[in-house]
Amino acid sequence: MDRTSADDALAAAGGRPAAADASPAQPASDPGSRARAIYDLGPTAIFASKVDPRFHYCLYVPPAVGRGAKVDLLVAVHGTSRTSFLDFRDGFAEFGRWNDVAVLCPIFPIGVLGDGARSGYKYLAEGDIRYDRVVLGMVDEVAAKYGQNWDRFAMFGFSGGGHFTHRFAILHPGKLWAASIGASGSVTLLDPDRDWWVGIRDLPQRFGITFDREALARVPVQMVVGDADLETWEITHKPGSATWMEGANDAGRTRPERLRTLAKSFEDAGVSVRFDLLPGVSHDRIKALPAVKDFLADVLAARRKG
């Protein structure tokens, strides 16, 4: 935690930040308040989820929450490396502080079933795990902890997180006030003639959910990818792989091509899509964040006008 964030969090919890030329800050009125300031406000510690302790999360919580402020929520989903959860917690911190938005970053470890699989969370179901339900449980948990109403939230994900975000939006559009889909390597089209994950024909059988076209059409959606994000080694599905099915590569060869195909599928269903093709950008999540922040700020401004 940087000095400014620590001081802000301590002040929010009732403590006193240290002067620049003084000894370390005096303790808050009790150890519990000081611990909350350090671990629960600003850039937080990493917590095990109560809904399933195999999975973890961290947050950025605006210090004003410690004084009772009500804020919105952004769920930011990591990619395959998993390390981007910290990039997103810290990368959205300034945005969250000045726009009254908390940031929840779930952490889904590789090989949670003991098989070394990297990509199960991207498709929302893996063995007995429903990752969409895990996230919904995390949201309920942190909403109760911080006294917030987060019945609806925004979601952003890049790469593997982009997989997760657009599929979550298909299953749970009523939970979202915005969705930002970054550089998804593979896409699920709103195709009623193909099964999951290429299409949505078997959603009721697979997830117990009927696709709600009208609800999805009410969600502002951004799709963002670099025009130089052209490597295909990781996104080309091959027969015999865990994710192979007929039509797996039909949406295009590269990430920009596949995201364009997804945008058309969403638009054909009545969804308004903002498509940001970033010039000169490869598969770089950090360079995507300014466009994502612009999109979220626009949606927040419209949403808060009522």
Side-chain angles (χ1 to χ4, degrees), residues 123-211:
Y123 299 89
L124 304 191
E126 182 179 26
D128 65 342
I129 304 167
R130 280 280 301 274
Y131 288 96
D132 56 326
R133 291 176 178 169
V134 172
V135 166
L136 290 171
M138 288 178 178
V139 171
D140 288 345
E141 178 180 332
V142 296
K145 176 177 180 176
Y146 292 99
Q148 301 289 322
N149 177 6
W150 287 332
D151 289 343
R152 295 174 70 223
F153 48 89
M155 183 174 285
F156 161 69
F158 188 87
S159 194
H163 280 250
F164 187 97
T165 297
H166 81 275
R167 295 186 178 112
F168 186 95
I170 291 169
L171 265 61
H172 302 286
K175 299 300 295 184
L176 298 176
W177 53 259
S180 177
I181 301 155
S184 180
S186 296
V187 296
T188 295
L189 305 181
L190 304 179
D191 185 342
D193 298 321
R194 295 186 177 187
D195 287 339
W196 188 268
W197 59 267
V198 171
I200 61 171
R201 176 170 54 193
D202 60 341
L203 286 190
Q205 295 80 16
R206 188 176 294 269
F207 294 104
I209 290 172
T210 300
F211 174 57

Side-chain angles (χ1 to χ4, degrees), residues 214-231:
E214 290 74 21
L216 184 60
R218 291 192 290 270
V219 180
V221 171
Q222 177 191 42
M223 299 188 188
V224 56
V225 65
D227 68 0
D229 193 348
L230 302 177
E231 290 190 357

Side-chain angles (χ1 to χ4, degrees), residues 63-87:
V65 170
R67 300 187 291 272
K70 302 301 181 183
V71 300
D72 284 296
L73 178 68
L74 168 66
V75 176
V77 186
H78 61 66
T80 309
S81 71
R82 275 67 177 175
T83 56
S84 58
F85 77 91
L86 284 174
D87 293 333

Side-chain angles (χ1 to χ4, degrees), residues 12 25 32 42 63 76 100 127 136 169 190 205 223-224 240 243 248 251 254 268 282 286 293 297:
D100 295 323
L136 290 171
L190 304 179
Q205 295 80 16
M223 299 188 188
V224 56
T243 54
T254 65
D268 288 347
S282 59
I286 299 301
K293 293 173 188 177

Side-chain angles (χ1 to χ4, degrees), residues 263-285:
K264 184 179 186 305
S265 179
F266 273 42
E267 289 167 346
D268 288 347
V271 181
S272 176
V273 177
R274 167 175 161 173
F275 196 96
D276 286 312
L277 186 65
L278 307 178
V281 174
S282 59
H283 200 58
D284 189 330
R285 57 187 179 259

